[in-house]
Amino acid sequence: MADAKVIPFDDDRSRGGAGARPSRRRSTGSRRSGAEPAVVREVQPLPARAAAAPEGGPETGESPQDRPALQAGPSLPSSPAREPWEDEGVRGGLERRVASGLSFLRRRLTGEYDVDDFGYDAELTDQVLMSLLRPVYEKYFRVDVKGIENIPKAGGALIVANHSGTLPLDGLMMQVAVHDHHPAGRHLRLLAADLVFVLPVVNELARKLGHTLACTEDAERLLGQGELVGVMPEGFKGIGKPFSERYKLQRFGRGGFVSTALRQGAPIIPCSIVGAEEIYPMIGNAKTLARLLGFPYFPLTPTFPWLGPLGAIPLPTKWTIQFGEPIPTDGYPPEAAEDPMLMFNLTDQVREQIQHTLYKLLVQRRSVFF
């Protein structure tokens, strides 16, 4: 809506009042003798003033004093009116969202959606699961991502990261980082432990998110399909270590992830995660209770189990995830995957690069929470 305009008063209004004066013509008898006849023009009111003047004008008998005088001044602020096409745009956008949501629900109820051989549901992950994880990633842990350009835009690659935090939230945050920040919008397929796939609800959600069993067959198949695969070789040794050993990498197993990368010729991308160690400071381990429940450990933290369900809320630490430069493996011959010395050297190289980056990020960190 255009802003209101203030039309300046003419001289006649400023001298004689606010009302619009009737137009008059001078008669010929009013001219001075000997003077040239004046050019007589009819004074026309401005369109805005003509519309504002009463219909009766002076003939109605109303004096200028009876009519309120118009005063020049700033126009009163008015709420911005929405143009018709803007309302239609808002309604159209809302209708499209509602239609999209109803279509999504219809497909879920009728089973008309696709999953791959591993159970990965791309539509559910993009529209629902990532939307649930994103506020935790952006607002709660405030993750800072570095080196995302080191992940290739296409083709198979193996991301190897440290593991910590008592609960495996670091893997989920790494998934969101790749999904939201990579230029190609790639999705990370994590290799998870057996325990994940025997827990109710967790099993289904993990499959829908694209997780699969941490075994050589599944990893090679995903890499052969050009997928981006994530692995955390420390396993339960890393995620369940005491708080006193934070940011000290545990043993990387037997180097099976290196053998897998060599067979597929996929690059290895080291990844260092800082911030996850402090979300659940593990000060003890109830081993007897862990054995009864079938867990590898039962954590005791400053808040859990003493505060009950509130103690399960992670501390809002500030996270940093850095992806290092890729370590190529396509230059090795096929039989290199069976060379134990080569696997040991590559495993140690990846581990040292992750550890060095962790120390570097810890030195740069201002605070655990800010």
Side-chain angles (χ1 to χ4, degrees), residues 94-110 123 127:
L94 180 60
E95 290 174 357
R96 284 192 296 270
R97 289 194 294 270
V98 172
S100 177
L102 292 177
S103 178
F104 174 78
L105 290 176
R106 180 186 62 80
R107 290 193 298 272
R108 307 314 297 186
L109 293 175
T110 58
E123 183 184 45
Q127 297 191 21

Side-chain angles (χ1 to χ4, degrees), residues 73-352:
S75 59
L76 293 176
S78 59
S79 58
R82 187 180 295 274
E83 299 294 343
W85 58 82
E86 295 180 356
D87 291 333
E88 293 177 2
V90 172
R91 288 195 298 269
L94 180 60
E95 290 174 357
R96 284 192 296 270
R97 289 194 294 270
V98 172
S100 177
L102 292 177
S103 178
F104 174 78
L105 290 176
R106 180 186 62 80
R107 290 193 298 272
R108 307 314 297 186
L109 293 175
T110 58
E112 299 177 0
Y113 56 90
D114 297 327
V115 296
D116 66 5
D117 296 338
F118 299 93
Y120 170 50
D121 190 335
E123 183 184 45
L124 182 66
T125 298
D126 292 339
Q127 297 191 21
V128 178
L129 300 180
M130 284 295 168
S131 299
L132 295 176
L133 292 173
R134 193 169 290 117
V136 180
Y137 173 91
E138 295 179 349
K139 305 299 182 183
Y140 198 77
F141 293 136
R142 295 147 292 147
V143 181
D144 184 19
V145 180
K146 300 179 180 180
I148 194 70
E149 67 278 0
N150 291 320
I151 300 177
K153 294 182 179 180
L158 185 65
I159 296 180
V160 182
N162 60 305
H163 207 14
S164 62
T166 305
L167 291 182
L169 297 181
D170 49 0
L172 298 177
M173 295 301 102
M174 188 168 61
Q175 271 192 286
V176 180
V178 174
H179 183 275
D180 289 0
H181 294 276
H182 194 270
R186 302 198 65 178
H187 185 77
L188 181 63
R189 310 291 295 271
L190 287 176
L191 303 179
D194 301 0
L195 179 62
V196 174
F197 300 102
V198 299
L199 296 175
V201 181
V202 176
N203 172 28
E204 293 296 328
L205 291 177
R207 288 291 185 186
K208 297 295 184 182
L209 273 167
H211 301 179
T212 188
L213 192 64
C215 63
T216 303
E217 293 77 11
D218 287 359
E220 289 185 0
R221 186 177 175 186
L222 287 172
L223 289 174
Q225 295 174 357
E227 296 286 351
L228 191 63
V229 180
V231 62
M232 295 174 167
E234 291 178 281
F236 290 121
K237 298 188 302 294
I239 197 174
K241 64 177 178 289
F243 186 67
S244 59
E245 298 180 12
R246 60 191 179 278
Y247 298 115
K248 295 179 181 179
L249 294 183
Q250 305 298 303
R251 193 171 65 91
F252 268 22
R254 300 176 182 176
F257 68 92
V258 172
S259 176
T260 301
L262 287 171
R263 288 192 180 93
Q264 298 298 322
I268 300 174
I269 303 171
C271 178
S272 303
I273 303 175
V274 167
E277 293 275 15
E278 294 89 359
I279 60 173
Y280 295 111
M282 186 171 168
I283 58 177
N285 179 16
K287 296 181 179 180
T288 302
L289 187 58
R291 284 195 298 268
L292 292 175
L293 297 175
F295 295 160
Y297 57 89
F298 189 89
L300 302 176
T301 72
T303 58
F304 181 83
W306 330 114
L307 298 182
L310 290 178
I313 299 176
L315 298 179
T317 58
K318 178 73 171 64
W319 286 36
T320 300
I321 299 178
Q322 179 163 337
F323 298 95
E325 295 184 1
I327 300 174
T329 62
D330 53 355
Y332 295 96
E335 61 272 11
E338 307 300 330
D339 186 350
M341 185 58 67
L342 177 61
M343 286 193 298
F344 175 80
N345 290 336
L346 286 177
T347 301
D348 191 61
Q349 179 183 351
V350 174
R351 185 179 181 278
E352 288 299 322

Side-chain angles (χ1 to χ4, degrees), residues 7-29:
I7 302 175
F9 295 112
D10 53 53
D11 293 338
D12 290 338
R13 288 186 180 273
S14 62
R15 290 193 301 267
R21 295 190 177 186
S23 60
R24 298 179 298 180
R25 291 182 181 270
R26 290 186 180 181
S27 63
T28 57

